Amino acid sequence: MHKLPPDTHPLAAELMGVIMPILKDSQAGVAAVMAGFDLTFSQLRMLWILDNAGSDLAVNELAETVSLSLPAAGRAVDGMVRLGLLTRREDDVDRRIKRIGLAEPGREALEKIGRARGQSADRFVEALTDEERAALASALATLGALTRKYFAAPAGSSHCSPEKPE
């Protein structure tokens, strides 16, 4: 694992140490999905941002959020519109502003990435004993309650939801 800043709280470091092996294990699957859609990391970030935004964003808002210049963001958006991952429309009030939204194939790309991550978690859970699964379930109940308390759920985000009941 990469080095965390020296002032990282020990509990935060332990949490990262627990999460990172599963995320790292899923990287090959995530990269394969990205390659299948021919996406850059900036374009992938745009998909995540639009998925969490709750509404279409202006190109300049998207550029600022992804830390790209307006021309670079425009080119990235153009490519994803051509691929059918994003939609582009005129603003309802100011027709000079172009609003960018997530198209259904863009949502499907995010869902494929979520499934790639989920497969890694599945492999981990399947390797556990029944006792280990029970201990993990108890710890995750606590962790889940804490994350719901301190992190707002993204509006309309469903690509990380479990697809099957436990």
Side-chain angles (χ1 to χ4, degrees), residues 71-135:
R75 286 189 298 275
V77 165
D78 288 345
M80 289 193 292
V81 168
R82 276 193 302 278
L83 291 171
L85 301 174
L86 300 180
T87 61
R88 181 178 16 231
R89 65 174 177 82
E90 291 179 350
D91 184 82
D92 296 335
V93 176
D94 186 343
R95 293 175 41 188
R96 296 172 297 176
I97 297 173
K98 303 302 180 217
R99 294 273 169 197
I100 308 303
L102 191 59
E104 191 55 34
R107 279 183 181 48
E108 290 169 5
L110 292 174
E111 287 170 5
K112 285 182 180 182
I113 289 169
R115 282 194 295 275
R117 285 192 179 133
Q119 289 169 348
S120 179
D122 276 343
R123 284 191 300 275
F124 171 69
V125 170
E126 288 169 5
L128 300 176
T129 66
D130 289 342
E131 295 79 24
E132 290 168 333
R133 277 191 205 101

Side-chain angles (χ1 to χ4, degrees), residues 38-107:
D38 198 24
L39 295 175
T40 66
F41 282 108
S42 292
Q43 288 172 320
L44 181 59
R45 285 185 62 213
M46 288 179 175
L47 292 177
W48 281 325
I49 289 163
L50 288 165
D51 187 44
N52 292 323
S55 65
D56 295 354
L57 297 177
V59 177
N60 65 314
E61 293 171 318
L62 199 51
E64 184 177 319
T65 306
V66 182
S67 301
L68 289 176
S69 69
L70 190 54
R75 286 189 298 275
V77 165
D78 288 345
M80 289 193 292
V81 168
R82 276 193 302 278
L83 291 171
L85 301 174
L86 300 180
T87 61
R88 181 178 16 231
R89 65 174 177 82
E90 291 179 350
D91 184 82
D92 296 335
V93 176
D94 186 343
R95 293 175 41 188
R96 296 172 297 176
I97 297 173
K98 303 302 180 217
R99 294 273 169 197
I100 308 303
L102 191 59
E104 191 55 34
R107 279 183 181 48

